[in-house]
Amino acid sequence: MADVHECSKLKVSFPEDRNAPTVKRKKLLFSNYNIRKRQPFDTRKKRKNKDIYVTNKTNFKAQLRICEKDLNNGASEVIIHGLGAAVERACRLALQLRENHYNTIELDIKTSTVPIIDDLEPVDDNADYVTINRNNSAVHIRVFRKFSLGTLKYQE
Amino acid sequence: MSHNAKRLPRRLQEAHLNQMTKSGLPPKIKRSSRRHRRRPRNLLAEYIRRQRNKIWLETHIWHAKRFHMIEKWGYRIASYANDKCFKANYRAMAKHCLMQDISYYTCVEINGHQEILKETLKSHCNPFELTFAAKIFMEGTREGTVMFFKKNGYPQFPIGHVHFLWRPNQSDLRTIWIWVHPSFLDDFVAEIISSFEFKRNEHCATTSNQTLESCLYINEKDCKMTIHKNTFNRFRFYGPLTINVLTNALQLPNINKTINLNLNTTQLDNNQIDCKKDHNSDKSWHIEYYDNQENIESLKIQKQLWQALKTLQSPSQLPPNVILGFTVLDPRFHLPDKRTKPRKEIHMTEIISVPPTNANSSPLWEQKIRGKVSKTCVTTSAINKIRSQCLVPGLNNDKHFNEEIMAKIPILLIQKPGIGNTGLGSGIDVILPSNWAMSFWLAFIFRSVKVGALRESKSIAFECENMQSPDINDPDTPAYAREALNTKLELREKYFHYPPNRRVNFIKFGITSPFSCEWNILMKEWANTEQFFVLRNRKLINLLRKSLVQENNSKRCNKSNNHVSSLSVQNAFEDKNYLIHVKVDIIRKGYPKRFAIICMPINEDVENFRVNRSWSGPVEKLNIDPNESIRKISRKNHLALLKRLKKQRTHHRKTLINKLSKMLSKDFQNFNYENKLKNLLEISRGAISKQSQKMSQLYLPECVKVRNSCNREIMGYITMGDFCFTKAKGIGFGYVTLNSLIELIDKKCPFVLIRNIQTRQYRIARLEVVT
């Protein structure tokens, strides 16, 4: 298991010439704003059908089943992504997968930092937009088979 | 004998035709052959004939071949695709790219002094929220969406949601574009005219043919209004691949270079193509425009921005509602050989956290340039002809493939934010000058874009829970009333097309208004007034939402705290005739549909819900239909009457023949008899139509009561509901009356009951107040 931390390659090419970005999150009165979140700026390569994004809302067992389905259908590897609060869940999912497969699968863990932007839309006429730039940690777990054994796994 | 003379032997044909003309029957006009009809000139004439009483969008013919077209709002609009797949559109919206032609939105341009515009437009908005004059929109960097009211009408008399954008970089005389949905365009224009005191400018019609559709209004305070119908095209893109598609299909010109080379090229290319020569001055609008230092500055920024745009993964990574102006090359020169899906490897992302300054200025705002650009749209065949002269075909480096030949088109991109951090429903609107729609459309199609139509506008708004969309009208708007009346008549007609034993008996189900929502009656029964308005005050909505949530989690909350809030809920409202916009999501089974009723549960239901986990709702008892026996008797009598009339007719005919043979000489009498026969026929026809009216009245009696029409008390109606793909369960949007909601909060009931019109089964659902 190799733990590698990678920071996504980013460039801020349009310098923010207004006083907005230095605002601290806690100082704002949130009742005056509507929060609009943008999609996280995740720069990792996306491959079709291999990536599984873990959320805290989806049922844990359902996520487990999705991973197992992929693994059993001959996929050599599955990549589990967890962002922020879902990091814990992603780890739990990977460990559970390994346990279910009697330790025949390996985990390759990478962590990264993902920049996130929240836009706060004002409610009244005189205020301006506020953008909050923050970073969040993410985990990307590559789950792969050591040996290609058929479907050797714990059956429910 | 046949009417078709050609069915006879040749030798008899002439005689037959003579006979036919003698007897007064004109020989039928032959439909011209398909070959003749499809000749370009005849085809064009036919198209013009068909457009006489409605407007076609520029992509009409493309759509008409693939979509079901309907006539709506004076346009002929694509309604839904002819392929049977519905979910594919959702998939395209969520994972790929979905495109819609929404050129039927009309752009209303108002020029004038900033203060006057601000003041007057502000009086049409909700003063407690963002208005036309908000600081964030005034710079023209973002597009806004507001609910438009009658002048000083808030909280009453709403008209509909409109999008608007201010023209950037202007001093005191400002220009605003308001994009209005055609369903309430007339209301909107009437309101604007009355509040600005506009007068129609007479000599605008004589200016030229181009401004035929756009009419000009002026007033004493130097304000001008132009209604641009058909001067813009607006395409809407949804989905994460939008950015890829746009950056792949459109290319920026290298204008700096062209300006320098300008002098040389005009001399060198004297032997250029003839068809383009006469447009040369129009074509080079960009040389004039980009002579200005300020414009060159913005061009540089836009170029930089375009590179940054290429690195993004989804339109939701752009600043929300940002407007970006670009000048692009004619997309027909960059078509791929085959329909291909654009892909790219992302190595680096450039973050655009705030809208860059100067990126939104665009020559599209200038009417002259717009006119020139629209005029310079050469036909595709002309382009192909030029390029076919090259020795090696299909290469991008032939001498005709240079930027001087390609037309430059100014466009505007407008970002639309999606929901949450998944960016679902985020998209980009592209605004183009007229005439260019088809070439851009095809260029996008070649990038494997799925095309949606009118049905998708609503379904996407539903999936994304975007209630600020102009496609959805609140029940207190005039547009809703018109739409509701139409659907009611349509569904009623459809209902009576079924045979009687296939019609749902709504009386037995206790549904009094199956094809419409009777808000007036509902409000009268809950609040004693027929007038109703949708609550749009954010503070009050938040108060209601909080008290509802507390009541749902009453186990965790302190009871004392709960009590206080519910008291304040009752005191907070002065008028009680409000409708509250709510969202319901089904807890266990089923999904709500249009016109479903939202009901208040009784104590027994609450007990059942608490005890039995798999219980998914009570069942309405079968009501008695008092009209059933009346219908039966009336049908019987009616049939008997028809039989009797038929007998009378045959009897008269027989006597007529008998008497004719007897009194051949007395001609005048048989005239009388024929009259009588006619009368009899008319009587029977009248009886039939009267009977059908009576029966329809007995099947669907007029709605008089709503609240207590079935076992549970009715709080409101669902206006839009279905299975939601994003939530993977049944979701519905509707309105409930304020009094009923307060009662529900007082009862501390954790759910409501939903029942579709075609069933007796109630379903349990969670209620949530929508902002």
Side-chain angles (χ1 to χ4, degrees):
Chain A
M1 274 183 249
D3 289 11
V4 181
H5 186 88
E6 51 181 36
C7 220
S8 37
K9 293 157 243 166
L10 280 171
K11 202 172 103 189
V12 181
S13 54
F14 297 95
E16 297 131 359
D17 44 356
R18 281 173 232 169
N19 48 4
T22 49
V23 179
K24 282 276 180 291
R25 211 178 143 83
K26 279 173 191 165
K27 278 186 187 169
L28 291 165
L29 197 59
F30 274 88
S31 64
N32 290 348
Y33 294 97
N34 286 333
I35 303 178
R36 293 205 184 267
K37 289 184 175 174
R38 296 194 204 167
Q39 194 173 323
F41 290 80
D42 189 1
T43 48
R44 288 180 59 86
K45 255 187 215 169
K46 304 261 156 56
R47 270 157 298 185
K48 236 185 177 180
N49 305 329
K50 273 191 181 174
D51 299 85
I52 288 159
Y53 293 87
V54 177
T55 64
N56 276 336
K57 282 178 192 160
T58 318
N59 188 357
F60 186 76
K61 275 204 162 173
Q63 287 172 343
L64 204 64
R65 215 167 295 143
I66 292 167
C67 297
E68 284 187 347
K69 201 171 129 195
D70 277 9
L71 278 178
N72 290 344
N73 284 354
S76 60
E77 60 173 17
V78 170
I79 301 172
I80 299 171
H81 303 269
L83 174 67
V87 165
E88 186 260 328
R89 242 210 180 177
C91 299
R92 211 143 54 84
L93 187 70
L95 291 173
Q96 189 71 47
L97 263 179
R98 191 165 68 171
E99 198 174 302
N100 283 0
H101 284 260
Y102 300 114
N103 286 341
T104 57
I105 52 176
E106 284 267 309
L107 307 178
D108 179 13
I109 300 154
K110 278 182 185 168
T111 54
S112 69
T113 307
V114 175
I116 287 174
I117 296 182
D118 295 340
D119 290 289
L120 300 184
E121 193 184 66
V123 172
D124 61 85
D125 272 8
N126 298 321
D128 208 341
Y129 264 93
V130 177
T131 44
I132 297 174
N133 293 310
R134 60 193 172 97
N135 290 317
N136 213 343
S137 29
V139 70
H140 315 277
I141 308 171
R142 193 164 73 92
V143 181
F144 60 99
R145 278 236 165 88
K146 249 191 293 189
F147 329 100
S148 67
L149 297 170
T151 51
L152 172 67
K153 81 167 193 77
Y154 162 76
Q155 295 285 339
E156 280 173 77
Chain B
M1 187 61 76
S2 169
H3 286 280
N4 191 353
K6 287 197 174 158
R7 289 191 161 203
L8 289 170
R10 190 43 87 69
R11 64 197 154 83
L12 296 178
Q13 272 180 14
E14 202 180 339
H16 176 71
L17 265 179
N18 283 338
Q19 284 296 317
M20 291 267 285
T21 43
K22 244 184 226 168
S23 64
L25 283 168
K28 267 192 183 171
I29 304 156
K30 204 175 132 194
R31 194 184 183 201
S32 50
S33 73
R34 183 181 160 81
R35 190 179 139 83
H36 179 259
R37 275 182 283 133
R38 303 299 292 187
R39 272 187 194 155
R41 202 211 298 171
N42 300 335
L43 198 62
L44 212 64
E46 172 71 9
Y47 286 162
I48 287 164
R49 186 188 68 75
R50 268 149 58 183
Q51 287 180 59
R52 234 180 262 156
N53 50 1
K54 59 203 167 248
I55 304 171
W56 280 7
L57 302 184
E58 282 177 35
T59 52
H60 175 89
I61 293 173
W62 191 92
H63 276 105
K65 288 173 185 170
R66 296 162 180 86
F67 284 75
H68 186 259
M69 310 294 286
I70 51 165
E71 217 159 295
K72 221 164 188 193
W73 312 309
Y75 290 87
R76 190 93 180 147
I77 304 174
S79 173
Y80 54 86
N82 282 336
D83 56 12
K84 298 280 186 281
C85 203
F86 180 78
K87 201 178 173 180
N89 289 323
Y90 168 72
R91 227 179 294 130
M93 191 266 288
K95 296 195 176 128
H96 310 284
C97 183
L98 184 83
M99 171 167 69
Q100 271 180 313
D101 187 0
I102 52 164
S103 308
Y104 48 82
Y105 276 73
T106 308
C107 175
V108 177
E109 181 181 316
I110 306 175
N111 308 54
H113 285 285
Q114 179 168 335
E115 289 312 310
I116 297 171
L117 283 186
K118 260 174 140 180
E119 277 304 302
T120 327
L121 287 173
K122 214 173 169 178
S123 64
H124 285 286
C125 297
N126 179 350
F128 303 114
E129 282 191 30
L130 291 175
T131 64
F132 285 105
K135 193 183 159 197
I136 48 172
F137 302 129
M138 284 310 286
E139 284 169 49
T141 47
R142 298 185 200 252
E143 190 196 47
T145 304
V146 292
M147 177 54 115
F148 189 84
F149 291 86
K150 277 192 177 172
K151 190 164 187 172
N152 297 324
Y154 175 82
Q156 304 167 358
F157 312 118
I159 286 175
H161 289 285
V162 292
H163 304 302
F164 65 92
L165 52 156
W166 290 90
R167 181 171 179 178
N169 304 336
Q170 281 181 312
S171 50
D172 195 33
L173 274 172
R174 295 297 298 261
T175 307
I176 185 172
W177 277 353
I178 306 176
W179 289 81
V180 191
H181 194 267
S183 62
F184 50 83
L185 177 69
D186 293 343
D187 302 330
F188 174 84
V189 171
E191 265 315 300
I192 285 279
I193 286 174
S194 76
S195 79
F196 274 95
E197 292 161 354
F198 274 127
K199 297 223 169 52
R200 190 161 190 152
N201 197 358
E202 288 306 323
H203 63 88
C204 80
T206 54
T207 48
S208 75
N209 288 336
Q210 271 236 324
T211 52
L212 192 79
E213 294 293 342
S214 52
C215 27
L216 189 74
Y217 295 84
I218 44 171
N219 74 353
E220 284 115 41
K221 291 175 201 158
D222 281 348
C223 293
K224 269 191 283 179
M225 176 171 78
T226 328
I227 299 170
H228 295 293
K229 264 191 181 174
N230 297 348
T231 39
F232 293 103
N233 285 298
R234 190 168 174 147
F235 297 161
R236 182 162 285 178
F237 291 81
Y238 295 98
L241 278 185
T242 302
I243 296 258
N244 295 15
V245 168
L246 286 177
T247 48
N248 195 312
L250 308 176
Q251 310 281 333
L252 291 203
N254 234 339
I255 285 187
N256 278 343
K257 207 174 75 190
T258 42
I259 289 168
N260 296 337
L261 289 174
N262 173 24
L263 292 172
N264 309 338
T265 46
T266 39
Q267 284 151 12
L268 272 174
D269 288 342
N270 273 342
N271 55 347
Q272 270 298 326
I273 328 90
D274 317 343
C275 65
K276 292 196 167 180
K277 226 173 186 176
D278 42 15
H279 292 310
N280 240 356
S281 61
D282 285 349
K283 250 193 129 156
S284 51
W285 60 266
H286 58 278
I287 295 168
E288 203 179 306
Y289 181 81
Y290 286 112
D291 226 13
N292 192 339
Q293 192 55 41
E294 206 175 302
N295 293 338
I296 288 183
E297 275 310 302
S298 77
L299 184 76
K300 272 179 193 160
I301 290 173
Q302 284 168 5
K303 236 177 222 177
Q304 204 184 344
L305 199 65
W306 189 256
Q307 294 306 323
L309 212 61
K310 280 184 179 174
T311 65
L312 294 184
Q313 295 154 334
S314 150
S316 82
Q317 290 178 338
L318 281 167
N321 291 321
V322 72
I323 300 169
L324 305 171
F326 292 104
T327 300
V328 295
L329 292 172
D330 189 343
R332 284 172 293 186
F333 283 90
H334 301 281
L335 288 180
D337 302 337
K338 251 183 173 178
R339 205 164 169 232
T340 42
K341 197 167 177 179
R343 267 171 214 292
K344 61 168 179 216
E345 299 292 308
I346 307 149
H347 304 296
M348 200 158 80
T349 316
E350 287 188 45
I351 295 181
I352 307 162
S353 64
V354 289
T357 44
N358 250 340
N360 50 352
S361 65
S362 167
L364 193 67
W365 287 92
E366 309 245 349
Q367 195 179 354
K368 271 185 198 161
I369 292 180
R370 247 173 9 229
K372 280 180 188 173
V373 171
S374 298
K375 245 190 269 170
T376 51
C377 182
V378 255
T379 55
T380 316
S381 63
I383 291 176
N384 291 345
K385 213 173 176 182
I386 299 161
R387 298 200 59 207
S388 69
Q389 294 160 1
C390 297
L391 278 177
V392 187
L395 285 180
N396 286 357
N397 56 3
D398 58 55
K399 68 170 182 186
H400 299 300
F401 193 87
N402 58 5
E403 284 181 7
E404 283 91 65
I405 289 177
M406 299 180 207
K408 282 107 192 147
I409 304 111
I411 59 166
L412 279 181
L413 304 187
I414 298 170
Q415 197 261 4
K416 301 253 145 204
I419 48 163
N421 56 3
T422 51
L424 181 85
S426 64
I428 287 183
D429 279 11
V430 181
I431 299 177
L432 309 168
S434 60
N435 274 346
W436 281 98
M438 216 40 228
S439 41
F440 275 80
W441 186 262
L442 286 181
F444 295 137
I445 293 292
F446 264 75
R447 267 78 186 183
S448 291
V449 173
K450 179 108 185 150
V451 178
L454 201 61
R455 183 182 63 184
E456 274 66 48
S457 319
K458 265 200 175 163
S459 70
I460 288 171
F462 170 75
E463 293 288 346
C464 304
E465 297 170 18
N466 172 20
M467 290 299 126
Q468 301 264 309
S469 150
D471 294 301
I472 298 160
N473 293 310
D474 288 336
D476 48 353
T477 56
Y480 176 88
R482 284 190 291 263
E483 183 81 30
L485 191 69
N486 273 344
T487 43
K488 187 181 177 181
L489 290 178
E490 219 170 83
L491 290 174
R492 224 183 128 89
E493 201 174 326
K494 197 182 165 199
Y495 178 76
F496 284 112
H497 273 310
Y498 289 121
N501 65 346
R502 287 287 172 274
R503 284 178 205 157
V504 178
N505 192 340
F506 291 115
I507 302 172
K508 282 190 175 175
F509 286 7
I511 301 275
T512 48
S513 59
F515 304 131
S516 61
C517 304
E518 300 288 345
W519 302 114
N520 287 326
I521 298 169
L522 190 73
M523 195 44 89
K524 197 167 189 187
E525 282 167 337
W526 278 102
N528 285 327
T529 46
E530 282 221 352
Q531 277 197 327
F532 64 88
F533 300 102
V534 175
L535 184 68
R536 293 194 182 83
N537 190 331
R538 189 182 292 267
K539 272 183 194 161
L540 293 179
I541 287 174
N542 279 340
L543 177 69
L544 277 177
R545 172 202 282 251
K546 259 179 206 157
S547 46
L548 247 180
V549 169
Q550 272 181 6
E551 155 246 308
N552 279 350
N553 304 339
S554 52
K555 280 176 201 163
R556 280 178 240 159
C557 287
N558 290 332
K559 278 201 172 166
S560 58
N561 194 8
N562 211 351
H563 197 65
V564 171
S565 78
S566 88
L567 262 180
S568 70
V569 161
Q570 274 154 349
N571 301 337
F573 296 94
E574 290 167 10
D575 305 324
K576 298 276 187 182
N577 58 342
Y578 281 116
L579 287 179
I580 317 290
H581 199 176
V582 291
K583 178 184 138 189
V584 293
D585 53 314
I586 301 279
I587 298 176
R588 305 240 153 87
K589 274 182 181 177
Y591 53 89
K593 288 243 177 92
R594 199 162 52 151
F595 310 127
I597 49 175
I598 305 173
C599 303
M600 184 95 68
I602 53 174
N603 292 335
E604 193 189 325
D605 300 331
V606 179
E607 190 63 23
N608 263 332
F609 180 68
R610 215 161 45 83
V611 173
N612 189 354
R613 272 191 64 95
S614 60
W615 181 77
S616 69
V619 179
E620 165 90 11
K621 75 166 198 305
L622 202 60
N623 295 315
I624 298 156
D625 184 1
N627 295 339
E628 203 169 17
S629 54
I630 304 174
R631 279 201 305 263
K632 222 171 199 173
I633 294 163
S634 134
R635 192 175 293 136
K636 210 171 156 191
N637 291 345
H638 179 64
L639 285 178
L641 177 73
L642 286 187
K643 211 171 181 183
R644 206 166 60 237
L645 284 170
K646 199 180 177 189
K647 257 185 193 164
Q648 276 181 18
R649 280 204 304 275
T650 45
H651 176 73
H652 272 284
R653 205 172 290 140
K654 268 180 192 165
T655 49
L656 178 74
I657 292 164
N658 284 343
K659 288 203 173 166
L660 257 178
S661 53
K662 276 181 191 169
M663 316 176 275
L664 266 171
S665 51
K666 290 173 188 172
D667 269 345
F668 57 94
Q669 274 203 353
N670 88 47
F671 187 68
N672 232 351
Y673 271 103
E674 258 185 10
N675 245 359
K676 204 165 186 184
L677 206 66
K678 253 182 202 167
N679 277 344
L680 273 174
L681 216 78
E682 251 161 43
I683 287 168
S684 76
R685 271 178 198 152
I688 288 170
S689 72
K690 211 185 260 173
Q691 172 73 8
S692 76
Q693 252 179 28
K694 192 180 161 194
M695 285 304 257
S696 69
Q697 192 55 244
L698 286 173
Y699 267 109
L700 294 178
E702 198 119 302
C703 178
V704 282
K705 60 166 189 172
V706 171
R707 185 175 167 180
N708 295 314
S709 59
C710 52
N711 296 358
R712 308 289 188 278
E713 221 172 0
I714 295 180
M715 301 164 69
Y717 290 101
I718 300 278
T719 50
M720 189 165 53
D722 210 335
F723 183 81
C724 179
F725 295 126
T726 43
K727 294 276 157 60
K729 61 179 172 182
I731 298 278
F733 290 93
Y735 298 86
V736 295
T737 55
L738 177 64
N739 286 348
S740 65
L741 195 67
I742 291 175
E743 204 179 310
L744 190 80
I745 290 169
D746 282 346
K747 263 190 171 177
K748 301 195 178 65
C749 181
F751 63 91
V752 289
L753 297 174
I754 306 287
R755 182 156 69 96
N756 283 338
I757 53 169
Q758 301 220 325
T759 168
R760 278 158 55 213
Q761 173 78 52
Y762 289 92
R763 298 293 184 186
I764 46 179
R766 206 171 285 122
L767 198 73
E768 198 182 305
V769 177
V770 182
T771 43

